């Protein structure tokens, strides 16, 4: 890599902004109908229309969930037979064992079955949870043998059993029947059980119940039992909806359809709980005080991130029975003791999680850049925590993550997938290396022998590359609606929140406002870890909060004008509702970005419309981003590729080039692999290379593959502009310093002055606002000069009453030679000048 390329590629604020997918416009007639018949704000209509696919009745059910879609439980495949078998066992006083998984879904499912049997008059029902550490997930033959040692019994599984072939065989040997209630994917062979209740069985397909949790399947069995036993009217209408809500949150299942009805009802049950264990857990989690919840509970905030982790902590670190006992406990004092214990376990879990994350990131970056799956093991990691860490790694790298733990012969592991990647299918392709595995499409677990671990990891990476070959790894931010800033009122936020409860399948509405000015910036929190912004448009100003992003205040200020993606948030303080807008993403104004490249984009669009594939070359990573924005704004299928990226990092570029009409903007097209139909791919040189070595590589790349190479000489001046912005001269440094001093108050300059400084400096240097890339180039120039001034010691960053400021250190002389950034810039400029003279 050339010195010029190194300096650019390593520049710390190279844009990495997500692409946003804007919502389709709503037909005005449909919008008027929705607003009139549903009585919602016009700003809320696009969200309802999108989520209901334009069906007003579906939209109505989003606002007022009903249970009209609940099928007759006894009419579901295998259900009547299972319910009658339970009634028979109760009548004969047969021993029954509820055999359950050890997570929140399994624990709540076990409570559902146990309470249902109690309602029906059963006696002597026991509940069993296999040990995560000694047995692992599943319906195990060894456990069945031990539980049947005193004689035959009826097993009812919850949240497990669909792959328990050996367990069912052992039950048959012990003259015991098995009723399986599960929602995991079946294996190649179904167990021999008395009845199998699973929404993924083919005969269940017409009922549309694939989103059920394990506890949800157990609940339908309970409902069938009540109906067949003739006691349906004796059971409270909302019985166990609180447990179902915990299970749906615990397994991250969609909050739509039947699940949505249960969650709406369950949140009310949780808030007004009659279970001492849940009341105690709400208190120790800080969700409410001793007197109960004073506000409506939030599904995502209070249940998913408040209650469920504490329930899961029992099975993750010790024994799921602690969580089970809490949910069925009648004594408030004992319930509080159990809740405090779970809270301590959860704190321990968080500490272990951070330790494992530190271990992973300590040696994972190279693998994270080159592998299609993250695969890593630790002998001293707690296997009950690795699933959470796998989820965090998946989010960090945007690809499947596999973690294994254990220091014995057998290791246990967790897998987390991404959209378009089926975890169970991937594990099945690696079955020869595994002792066992199971799970959903998005998550799974496995057991592997130590000597097979590396072989499994290698195979999983290969399988991941195959399964992801045609899938995108960088999903765009999917927006629900666009608002003018004046429309983002409390009334609108309240209307959007009427779509609660939120969760998978019904996420918090993600809205956006475009082309906003930055009026004020503050940092919040004890150490300034959060950011608060006041943004304005058309005389209207509104505040936004961005949690955990206090460190990006300077980068945000440099944007000048921004687009903001946000979600509504409700807080209740002293009985008063308050509404806020929480930032989910912020980007430089899309309207301002990518300007000035209309001619080249138009030519590419014509070629793209004819199915031609193009690679657009520029030596500048920042210019590449600007060109990519221009192409995307024109509606073209375009990707960005930078020098030094691995095959995985270049995945999107290769994917785009495999499609007719695809365009890739690249700073190193010779590094691209799998260029699709290579002979039909042309190279457009937007900006000529600035150093001879890169010029030779580009020429060889085009020559050796026979690509047509099209030079755009009219962009030569623009290339020189990017060179000046990337490698600032002394005059630019002086202009920025002067402009900062003119705007200082007691030698302090608030960040909000950055955009004005940028515009003034660019105008003084002679760059007109209509020049290609001038908006992005001005941000780059200002950031580079600020780095130079900081290295010289002439300024430092700080806060003045929570307002981020630049503090100028005046009254003494500073030397440009003290700035490594300036010294490197000067060297590159001199090198280019010398070579230019040699060519004259």
């Amino acid at each position: 890599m050339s010195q010029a390329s190194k300096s650019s590629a390593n520049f710390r604020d190279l844009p990495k902004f997500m692409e946003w997918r804007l919502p389709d416009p709503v037909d005005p007639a449909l919008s008027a109908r929705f607003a009139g018949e549903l009585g919602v704000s016009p700003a809320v209509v696009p969200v309802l229309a999108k989520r209901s696919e334009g069906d007003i009745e579906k939209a109505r059910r989003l606002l007022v969930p009903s249970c009209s879609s609940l099928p007759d439980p006894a009419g579901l495949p295998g259900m009547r037979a299972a319910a009658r078998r339970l009634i028979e066992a109760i009548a004969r006083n047969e021993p029954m064992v509820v055999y359950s998984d050890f997570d929140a879904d399994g624990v709540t499912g076990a409570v559902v079955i146990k309470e249902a049997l109690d309602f029906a008059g059963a006696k002597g029902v026991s509940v069993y949870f296999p040990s995560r550490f000694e047995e692992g997930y599943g319906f195990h033959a060894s456990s069945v043998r031990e539980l049947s040692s005193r004689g035959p019994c009826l097993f009812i599984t919850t949240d497990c059993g669909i792959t328990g072939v050996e367990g069912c065989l052992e039950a048959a040997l012990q003259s015991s029947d098995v009723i399986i209630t599960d929602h995991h994917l079946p294996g190649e062979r179904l167990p021999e059980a008395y009845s199998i209740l699973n929404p993924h069985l083919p005969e269940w397909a017409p009922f549309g119940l694939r989103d059920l949790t394990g506890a949800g399947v157990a609940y339908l069995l309970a409902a069938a039992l009540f109906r067949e036993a003739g006691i349906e009217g004796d059971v409270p209408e909302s019985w166990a909806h609180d447990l179902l809500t915990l299970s749906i949150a615990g397994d991250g299942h969609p909050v739509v359809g039947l699940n949505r009805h249960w969650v709406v009802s369950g949140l009310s049950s949780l808030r007004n709980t009659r279970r001492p264990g849940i009341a105690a857990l709400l208190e120790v989690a800080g969700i409410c005080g001793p007197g109960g919840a004073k506000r409506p509970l939030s599904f995502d905030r209070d249940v998913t991130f408040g209650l469920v982790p504490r329930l899961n902590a029992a099975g993750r670190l010790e024994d799921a029975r602690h969580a089970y006992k809490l949910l069925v406990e009648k004594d408030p004092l004992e319930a509080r003791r159990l809740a405090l214990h779970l809270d301590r376990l959860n704190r321990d879990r968080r500490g272990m999680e951070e330790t494992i994350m530190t271990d992973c990131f300590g040696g994972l970056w190279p693998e994270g850049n080159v592998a299609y799956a993250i695969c890593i093991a630790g002998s001293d990691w707690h296997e009950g925590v690795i699933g959470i860490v796998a989820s965090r790694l998946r989010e960090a790298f945007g690809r499947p993550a596999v973690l294994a733990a254990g220091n014995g012969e057998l290791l246990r592991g967790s897998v987390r997938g991404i959209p378009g990647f089926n975890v169970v299918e991937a594990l099945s392709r690696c079955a020869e290396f595994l002792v066992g595995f199971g799970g959903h499409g998005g998550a799974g677990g496995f057991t592997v022998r130590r000597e097979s671990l590396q072989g499994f990891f290698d195979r999983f990476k290969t399988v991941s590359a195959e399964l992801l070959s045609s899938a995108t790894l960088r999903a765009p931010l999917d927006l629900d609606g666009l608002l003018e800033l004046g429309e983002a009122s409390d009334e609108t936020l309240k209307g959007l929140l009427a779509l609660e409860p939120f969760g998978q399948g019904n996420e918090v509405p993600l809205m956006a406002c475009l082309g906003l000015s930055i009026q004020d910036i503050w940092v919040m929190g004890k150490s300034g870890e959060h950011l608060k912004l006041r943004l304005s448009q058309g005389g209207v100003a509104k505040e936004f909060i961005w949690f955990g992003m206090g460190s990006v205040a300077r980068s945000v200020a440099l944007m000048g004008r921004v687009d903001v993606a946000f979600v509504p948030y409700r807080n209740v303080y002293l009985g008063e509702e308050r509404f806020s807008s929480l930032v989910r993403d912020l980007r430089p104004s899309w309207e301002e970005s990518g300007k000035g490249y209309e001619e080249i984009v138009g030519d590419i669009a014509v070629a793209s419309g004819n199915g031609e594939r193009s690679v657009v070359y520029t030596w500048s990573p920042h210019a590449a981003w600007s060109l990519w924005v221009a192409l995307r704004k024109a509606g073209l299928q375009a990707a960005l590729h930078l020098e030094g990226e691995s095959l995985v990092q270049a995945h999107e570029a290769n994917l785009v080039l495999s499609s007719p009409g695809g365009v890739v903007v690249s700073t190193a097209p010779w590094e691209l692999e799998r260029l699709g139909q290579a002979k039909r791919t042309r190279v457009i040189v937007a900006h000529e290379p600035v150093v001879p070595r890169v010029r030779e590589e580009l020429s060889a790349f085009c020559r050796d593959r026979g690509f047509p190479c099209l030079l755009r000489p009219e962009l030569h001046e623009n290339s020189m502009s990017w060179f000046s912005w990337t490698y600032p001269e002394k005059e630019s440094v002086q202009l920025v310093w002067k402009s900062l001093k003119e705007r200082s108050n007691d030698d302090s300059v608030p960040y909000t002055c950055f955009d004005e400084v940028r515009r003034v400096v660019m105008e003084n240097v002679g760059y007109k606002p209509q020049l290609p890339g001038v908006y992005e180039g001005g941000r780059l120039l200002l950031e580079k000069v600020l780095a130079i001034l900081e290295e010289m010691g002439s300024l430092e960053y700080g806060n003045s009453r929570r307002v981020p400021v630049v503090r100028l250190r005046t009254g003494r002389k500073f030397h440009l030679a003290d700035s490594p950034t300036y010294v490197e810039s000067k060297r590159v400029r001199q090198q280019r000048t010398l070579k230019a003279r040699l060519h004259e």
Side-chain angles (χ1 to χ4, degrees), residues 393-416:
L393 292 174
R394 171 194 59 193
E395 297 303 318
F397 289 96
R399 64 205 68 162
V402 183
L403 263 67
N407 53 16
E409 172 58 26
L410 290 180
L411 308 181
R412 291 192 173 88
S414 291
V415 186
R416 297 295 183 269

Side-chain angles (χ1 to χ4, degrees), residues 431-460:
E432 66 181 276
F433 295 96
L434 301 175
V435 176
F437 67 89
H440 310 286
F446 61 88
T447 303
V448 62
R449 299 188 190 281
R450 180 171 296 279
E451 64 267 20
S452 302
L453 180 65
Q454 191 57 52
F456 164 60
F457 278 0
D458 292 342
R459 174 68 61 82
F460 193 91

Side-chain angles (χ1 to χ4, degrees), residues 201-202 237 299 358 394 407 448 463 560 629 694 709 747 808:
L201 294 177
E237 184 179 357
F299 178 73
T358 301
R394 171 194 59 193
N407 53 16
V448 62
V463 168
V629 171
V694 178
C709 188
D747 289 336
L808 307 182

Side-chain angles (χ1 to χ4, degrees), residues 183-202:
H183 71 133
H184 292 89
L185 297 175
E188 294 181 3
R189 175 185 171 193
L190 288 177
E192 295 289 336
Y194 186 90
S195 185
I196 301 178
L197 311 177
N198 188 307
H200 292 286
L201 294 177

Side-chain angles (χ1 to χ4, degrees), residues 60 224 226 240 366 370 378 380 415 493 503 505 535 553 569 611 637 658 710 782:
R60 200 185 308 278
F226 299 154
V370 302
D380 57 350
V415 186
L493 299 182
L535 306 178
Y569 180 79
Q637 184 183 12
S658 69
L710 309 175
L782 180 55

Side-chain angles (χ1 to χ4, degrees), residues 169-503:
L169 287 174
E170 182 62 35
L173 290 175
Q174 303 294 332
S175 300
S176 296
D177 284 340
V178 181
I179 296 173
I180 293 174
T181 74
D182 198 357
H183 71 133
H184 292 89
L185 297 175
E188 294 181 3
R189 175 185 171 193
L190 288 177
E192 295 289 336
Y194 186 90
S195 185
I196 301 178
L197 311 177
N198 188 307
H200 292 286
L201 294 177
E203 55 266 33
W204 279 62
F207 298 94
L209 296 172
R210 285 177 172 262
D211 291 334
L212 289 177
T213 61
V217 180
Y219 179 88
L220 294 180
L221 173 58
L225 170 63
F226 299 154
R227 183 164 299 182
E228 291 296 307
I231 60 172
E232 193 174 17
D234 299 333
V235 181
E237 184 179 357
S238 61
W239 166 76
H241 290 184
D242 52 353
L243 302 173
L244 293 174
T245 300
L246 292 168
S247 79
I248 293 164
D251 261 22
H253 275 230
V255 188
V256 296
L258 188 54
N259 283 354
R260 182 170 173 79
H261 165 75
W262 284 335
V263 168
V264 170
S265 174
L267 287 172
S268 177
S269 296
L270 288 168
R271 182 188 184 193
N272 304 292
T273 185
R274 296 183 178 181
R275 298 180 188 271
I278 288 179
L281 200 61
L282 284 166
E283 185 180 345
V284 301
I287 297 171
C288 67
K294 304 299 183 186
R295 58 172 174 79
L297 297 183
S298 163
F299 178 73
D300 50 351
R301 178 181 58 192
D302 297 326
V303 181
T304 303
F305 297 107
L307 300 180
V308 166
R310 289 167 171 83
L311 291 174
N312 273 330
R316 290 187 184 282
L317 300 190
E318 286 187 353
D319 190 331
R321 185 164 292 275
H322 296 316
Y324 174 82
K325 287 180 177 178
L326 175 75
L327 294 177
V328 300
E329 182 58 55
K330 304 297 184 184
D331 177 28
L333 291 178
E334 177 62 12
R336 178 166 176 79
R337 186 192 70 78
L338 287 167
L340 287 170
H341 182 61
L342 293 189
D343 190 56
R344 284 192 294 270
L345 289 179
N346 191 52
R347 289 198 300 271
D348 292 343
R349 185 270 306 169
R350 287 199 297 263
M352 295 174 185
E353 181 184 333
E354 292 305 319
T355 298
I356 297 174
M357 281 294 292
T358 301
D359 290 347
C360 288
F361 276 89
L364 192 56
W365 284 111
E367 176 166 313
N369 288 334
V370 302
Y372 272 91
I374 305 301
C375 298
I376 190 165
S379 59
D380 57 350
W381 293 346
H382 198 293
E383 63 188 66
V385 181
I386 57 176
I388 305 173
V389 178
S391 296
R392 291 179 63 180
L393 292 174
R394 171 194 59 193
E395 297 303 318
F397 289 96
R399 64 205 68 162
V402 183
L403 263 67
N407 53 16
E409 172 58 26
L410 290 180
L411 308 181
R412 291 192 173 88
S414 291
V415 186
R416 297 295 183 269
I418 62 174
F421 180 88
N422 189 300
V423 168
V424 172
E425 180 183 351
L427 289 173
S428 67
R429 294 195 189 186
C430 307
E432 66 181 276
F433 295 96
L434 301 175
V435 176
F437 67 89
H440 310 286
F446 61 88
T447 303
V448 62
R449 299 188 190 281
R450 180 171 296 279
E451 64 267 20
S452 302
L453 180 65
Q454 191 57 52
F456 164 60
F457 278 0
D458 292 342
R459 174 68 61 82
F460 193 91
K461 292 173 186 177
T462 301
V463 168
S464 297
E466 294 170 356
L467 293 178
L468 293 171
S469 61
S470 59
T472 182
L473 299 181
R474 301 175 187 172
L477 200 64
D478 197 6
L479 297 172
D480 287 294
L482 293 178
L483 299 172
E484 294 295 317
L485 190 61
E487 295 177 305
S489 62
D490 282 1
E491 179 185 357
T492 298
L493 299 182
K494 185 176 182 179
L496 292 170
L497 289 167
L499 298 177
E500 289 184 294
F502 300 123

Side-chain angles (χ1 to χ4, degrees), residues 683-725:
V683 177
I684 301 169
V685 180
H687 301 137
E688 293 183 68
V690 296
V691 294
R693 182 199 58 87
V694 178
R695 185 188 301 273
E696 293 167 4
E697 288 192 277
L698 180 62
S699 298
F701 170 73
C702 297
R703 182 181 61 250
D704 294 347
R705 288 169 173 77
F707 292 154
C709 188
L710 309 175
L711 181 64
R712 302 300 299 242
E714 73 274 19
L715 291 179
H716 176 75
E717 183 177 349
N718 182 239
S719 179
M720 292 301 95
S721 296
W722 280 107
F723 188 83
S724 297
W725 300 332

